[in-house]
Amino acid sequence: MQQMKVEEKEKEKKPKFQMNDHIDILIEVLKRLDGPSLGVAACVCRLWCTLTRSDSLWEHLCFRHVSSPPPSSVRPVVVALGGYKRLYMVCVRPVLSRLRNSHSELVWTRDEVQLSLSLFCVDYYERRLGGGATSASSLMFLCNPVNV
Amino acid sequence: MSPYESATSAGSSSGSSSAYSSTKPADIDGLLAGAGYKVRSSDLRHVAQRLERLETAMVNSPVELSQLASSDTVHYNPSDIGSWVDSLLSEFNHTPSLPSDLPDLPGIVVGPGISPTVINEADATWMDHDAPQQQQQSAQSLGIPPNQLTVVTAMEEDSGIRLVHLLMTCAESVQRGEFSLAGSLIDDMQSLLRRVNTTCGIGKVAGYFIDALSRRIFTPQASGLFGGSGSASAYENELLYHHFYEACPYLKFAHFTANQAILEAFDGHDCVHVIDFNLMHGLQWPALIQALALRPGGPPLLRLTGIGPPSPDGRDSLREIGLRLAELARSVNVRFAFRGVAAQRLEDVKPWMLQVNSKEAVAVNSILQLHRLLGSDPNRSPPIEIVLGWIRQLNPKIMTVIEHEANHNQPGFMDRFTESLYYYSTMFDSLEACTLQPEKALAEIYIQREICNVVSCEGSARLERHEPLAKWRSRLGQAGFRPLHLGSNAFKQASMLLTLFSAEGYCVEENEGCLTLGWHSRPLISASAWQAVPDANSPLGIVNHHHNNHNAL
């Protein structure tokens, strides 16, 4: 009996590991998630929501599987055009899923990166243009299911 | 193309070559004769139906096909398809072939509401004793008596073929000047249209062509509405163009391919100047600005000169687009300057308006514009030569030319009509895959305007004078340009872009250094790049163009 009480006391004294106290570890974990999981993570609590809003996480997600890291000039351009989270949601995710189909190759080429960035830029421009009769639907075709 | 295909492909709008035959009834169909078959044009429909029945019988028959080869029936003269099919059918049906006057019975031609008495007559021989069990079951599950189902589809396709026949006859009578005959044919076609599904396929395309023909016959003066100056407002044109851009990949392909070529041509230059022959909403340029922003070594100073029609209501639409592009360029740190040149027609533009300075690298970008200059007035030198002349004097690093891959500028009306029927059928076919509304509807109106211009306009009003790539090659070669090959990067990018589109059916092909985008192996739009051949007499000297195949990143 006494031994058990001591063990319990020792257990109580041991600090529990609170993930939210270790934000750097939390970020490292979040960096390894895929898009949908990041979205789910954003719903867990306010801290996680704030963290997942950070564009650097999405930048990491966008270029995680590029064969060589993109040059530093890319970041200001992407930020100016709407940020990495938007880039991921609007371009990278549909482009990758469309081009990958059933393959599980995760590395994507600079050509695909370049194409995504161009489409992202057209999207940005159309959003700035429209307020008129045309909606920014340039990238809507990416959302349509593939008609085989 | 076999007569069988002509029967079943009437539903798809790529049409059938055998239906575009000579319209003299007694004649052997010319196109099939070329393939080695002898069929009278008047018999085409009957033969097609017999072939369809043969297919049904073969598919559902318990008789092995290999047994056919060892059968006792002797087939004479296979080029006479009608009797050949009949002899094959006799293998399956041991009943005499269906009376060929079935389709002529007036009750049948009227749509799906077929009178039951007629069906019973057909019943005995249409579905013979080897009747397909599956077909009856599936038809019954739909609640439709099986024979009625078969006859309905045959009639719809039949109407499609008849429509095409009538269109060709009408066009020929227009060419001959027999306008009263043409007018009555228009009435026939319009009544036939009511029995055909006009929301897709041949019905839809035929509707537009009937409309264009009737404009030509009945209101030739008003057909200037779709051509010439002062026509439908510039705002409407831009709107339709934008929806055409969204609904199908042709313009996107054009923009991305041209941008890639321009990017490669501008490699190493710090001052660059792009001249756009048709600015519209400037949708081509954001991607180029972004690519220049990210090119190794930093972006150059980019000048863009956009040519477009003047806006009637005081709005300076060119300047507005310029401001939006400038805003984009500023956010990505590209030094940018815009100039708008308002001109109703491209031939009104003079080179001094473009303010090209000698230190910059110039790119001329023409998306579906050069063909508008091909109309010739006997009093003046051809506008195309004037424009190509001053382009050459600007000595651009690159001229990107995107044109329709079609021959819609032939002198004979009939040839133009036939060619455009095939071309636009294919294009509408490709548009079927688009599900975005209202983009699709407005894109169709955009295409419809082109059709109207090709079919119902003449002289200076006819602007849509499309010529195929081969003709452009010789024309540009004679004007002092030499081709620049679009590299593999452009091809890769175009293929990737196409993969992103919903429909599988688009194909990118390489054609001697040019790229074409088409639908199911029919090229519809071509992209090529050119450079001025240095003139030995001019002070410009040797043109130094270093063609690199670098990516933007």
Side-chain angles (χ1 to χ4, degrees):
Chain A
M1 274 280 281
Q2 271 191 342
Q3 245 185 344
M4 273 172 60
K5 272 193 191 165
V6 167
E7 280 172 17
E8 280 175 25
K9 278 190 189 163
E10 281 179 24
K11 275 186 196 159
E12 281 177 17
K13 281 183 200 161
K14 250 199 222 164
K16 290 178 195 163
F17 182 79
Q18 294 281 6
M19 186 52 122
N20 285 2
D21 292 338
H22 303 268
I23 294 187
D24 47 347
I25 298 181
L26 181 53
I27 291 180
E28 283 301 313
V29 171
L30 289 174
K31 265 191 201 171
R32 284 153 175 77
L33 293 180
D34 62 1
S37 308
L38 264 183
V40 169
C43 305
V44 167
C45 66
R46 278 203 208 109
L47 174 66
W48 285 38
C49 185
T50 315
L51 287 178
T52 50
R53 287 229 186 95
S54 136
D55 222 27
S56 60
L57 265 182
W58 296 93
E59 177 182 1
H60 195 85
L61 180 59
C62 283
F63 294 130
R64 183 185 297 168
H65 300 299
V66 179
S67 46
S68 54
S72 55
S73 49
V74 172
R75 184 177 301 136
V77 171
V78 175
V79 168
L81 297 178
Y84 281 98
K85 184 172 181 195
R86 192 177 165 85
L87 174 64
Y88 180 78
M89 298 304 293
V90 159
C91 289
V92 171
R93 187 166 64 111
V95 167
L96 274 186
S97 69
R98 211 43 94 71
L99 293 178
R100 286 283 158 261
N101 289 336
S102 50
H103 308 153
S104 55
E105 304 159 26
L106 291 178
V107 177
W108 58 311
T109 63
R110 304 182 85 178
D111 295 324
E112 289 163 340
V113 173
Q114 168 65 336
L115 185 62
S116 300
L117 287 172
S118 298
L119 291 171
F120 190 52
C121 195
V122 180
D123 168 67
Y124 169 85
Y125 178 71
E126 284 193 300
R127 278 183 293 126
R128 307 294 299 182
L129 260 191
T134 55
S135 55
S137 57
S138 173
L139 297 180
M140 286 298 285
F141 69 91
L142 287 177
C143 304
N144 293 336
V146 175
N147 176 21
V148 177
Chain B
M1 199 185 279
S2 71
Y4 172 65
E5 280 182 286
S6 74
T8 53
S9 66
S12 93
S13 45
S14 48
S16 61
S17 57
S18 63
Y20 301 169
S21 59
S22 145
T23 51
K24 290 183 191 157
D27 281 0
I28 301 290
D29 181 277
L31 287 162
L32 283 173
Y37 295 108
K38 287 203 205 64
V39 186
R40 285 205 299 277
S41 308
S42 55
D43 287 341
L44 279 175
R45 202 170 59 231
H46 303 157
V47 171
Q49 283 174 338
R50 285 188 202 130
L51 278 167
E52 198 173 54
R53 276 192 291 131
L54 176 62
E55 192 227 26
T56 313
M58 279 167 82
V59 163
N60 298 300
S61 164
V63 174
E64 286 280 330
L65 280 179
S66 58
Q67 291 181 22
L68 258 187
S70 55
S71 75
D72 291 335
T73 313
V74 181
H75 303 288
Y76 290 108
N77 192 13
S79 70
D80 178 6
I81 302 179
S83 53
W84 178 75
V85 173
D86 277 341
S87 64
L88 274 181
L89 266 175
S90 65
E91 299 279 313
F92 296 96
N93 308 348
H94 299 293
T95 54
S97 50
L98 191 73
S100 56
D101 54 359
L102 172 63
D104 291 331
L105 289 168
I108 296 280
V109 180
V110 178
I114 298 173
S115 67
T117 50
V118 177
I119 294 301
N120 290 335
E121 267 187 296
D123 193 28
T125 45
W126 190 265
M127 299 301 227
D128 56 70
H129 57 272
D130 286 328
Q133 294 300 318
Q134 306 94 322
Q135 209 172 26
Q136 279 182 332
Q137 278 165 10
S138 61
Q140 271 158 18
S141 65
L142 288 173
I144 308 170
N147 33 25
Q148 195 169 18
L149 186 63
T150 319
V151 176
V152 165
T153 24
M155 288 310 122
E156 275 246 347
E157 288 165 358
D158 183 54
S159 299
I161 300 181
R162 276 187 50 181
L163 261 179
V164 174
H165 264 293
L166 285 172
L167 274 170
M168 305 305 289
T169 317
C170 186
E172 195 176 344
S173 52
V174 166
Q175 175 165 282
R176 290 191 189 169
E178 294 164 16
F179 290 110
S180 50
L181 172 60
S184 68
L185 283 169
I186 297 268
D187 292 331
D188 289 344
M189 288 194 283
Q190 277 171 346
S191 60
L192 189 54
L193 257 190
R194 281 180 227 123
R195 299 183 216 124
V196 171
N197 183 4
T198 52
T199 56
C200 66
I202 190 71
K204 179 188 268 187
V205 180
Y208 290 130
F209 275 88
I210 293 168
D211 179 67
L213 274 174
S214 63
R215 277 177 210 273
R216 189 186 179 100
I217 294 165
F218 299 123
T219 54
Q221 329 81 281
S223 60
L225 185 65
F226 295 106
S229 50
S231 53
S233 83
Y235 174 74
E236 270 175 34
N237 285 340
E238 283 174 15
L239 190 71
L240 292 176
Y241 188 84
H242 194 136
H243 284 88
F244 182 65
Y245 174 86
E246 301 295 358
C248 45
Y250 303 107
L251 289 178
K252 289 190 173 78
F253 161 78
H255 291 175
F256 274 75
T257 307
N259 283 346
Q260 183 67 29
I262 294 174
L263 193 66
E264 290 172 11
F266 279 168
D267 195 25
H269 290 94
D270 286 325
C271 274
V272 301
H273 186 174
V274 176
I275 299 170
D276 187 358
F277 277 359
N278 189 22
L279 186 67
M280 289 289 176
H281 286 158
L283 289 167
Q284 179 172 355
W285 307 118
L288 183 68
I289 292 172
Q290 173 260 317
L292 287 173
L294 291 177
R295 76 169 189 179
L301 165 64
L302 171 65
R303 285 182 59 206
L304 175 65
T305 299
I307 299 173
S311 352
D313 49 359
R315 253 176 74 235
D316 192 348
S317 55
L318 285 172
R319 187 168 167 271
E320 281 173 24
I321 300 296
L323 283 174
R324 294 273 163 268
L325 287 169
E327 196 194 318
L328 170 70
R330 201 171 40 240
S331 13
V332 298
N333 281 326
V334 173
R335 292 165 294 153
F336 181 78
F338 176 81
R339 187 179 167 77
V341 173
Q344 192 61 51
R345 302 172 310 174
L346 196 52
E347 60 248 43
D348 296 336
V349 174
K350 304 283 176 280
W352 56 261
M353 298 176 189
L354 307 172
Q355 296 195 343
V356 172
N357 75 55
S358 51
K359 294 200 190 68
E360 52 193 15
V362 176
V364 174
N365 183 70
S366 158
I367 309 249
L368 309 179
Q369 294 304 300
L370 288 185
H371 63 259
R372 303 164 82 88
L373 302 170
L374 292 177
S376 57
D377 189 349
N379 301 328
R380 306 181 296 154
S381 48
I384 183 75
E385 286 180 16
I386 299 175
V387 173
L388 286 178
W390 60 250
I391 294 177
R392 185 153 179 248
Q393 285 189 333
L394 291 178
N395 195 22
K397 280 274 166 297
I398 188 167
M399 174 170 69
T400 48
V401 174
I402 280 86
E403 284 292 328
H404 301 82
E405 183 59 13
N407 201 354
H408 296 156
N409 198 22
Q410 296 157 90
F413 176 72
M414 193 62 192
D415 298 323
R416 286 207 310 269
F417 187 83
T418 316
E419 171 78 18
S420 61
L421 186 59
Y422 184 34
Y423 180 84
Y424 287 106
S425 299
T426 313
M427 188 173 268
F428 269 101
D429 208 17
S430 74
L431 202 55
E432 283 305 313
C434 170
T435 52
L436 305 170
Q437 291 287 9
E439 279 79 4
K440 181 176 175 185
L442 291 174
E444 289 181 359
I445 297 179
Y446 174 85
I447 303 175
Q448 186 213 359
R449 287 196 176 182
E450 272 189 18
I451 294 174
C452 267
N453 194 273
V454 174
V455 170
S456 60
C457 295
E458 280 304 333
S460 59
R462 180 156 63 92
L463 294 172
E464 302 293 340
R465 294 176 181 262
H466 312 148
E467 286 192 348
L469 186 56
K471 276 201 181 167
W472 283 111
R473 279 205 182 105
S474 68
R475 200 184 277 282
L476 289 168
Q478 280 168 8
F481 291 89
R482 64 156 188 253
L484 289 175
H485 281 212
L486 299 171
S488 57
N489 285 330
F491 184 86
K492 258 194 290 183
Q493 182 179 243
S495 309
M496 263 197 289
L497 189 66
L498 263 304
T499 318
L500 297 176
F501 259 83
S502 301
E504 304 205 347
Y506 291 109
C507 55
V508 181
E509 282 167 8
E510 192 265 349
N511 179 339
E512 286 177 45
C514 306
L515 291 185
T516 61
L517 171 61
W519 176 256
H520 283 137
S521 78
R522 158 79 212 229
L524 293 176
I525 192 169
S526 69
S528 54
W530 303 84
Q531 192 183 34
V533 170
D535 191 3
N537 301 327
S538 85
L540 292 170
I542 299 173
V543 173
N544 191 6
H545 176 74
H546 193 48
H547 190 62
N548 288 320
N549 271 325
H550 282 168
N551 236 341
L553 286 181

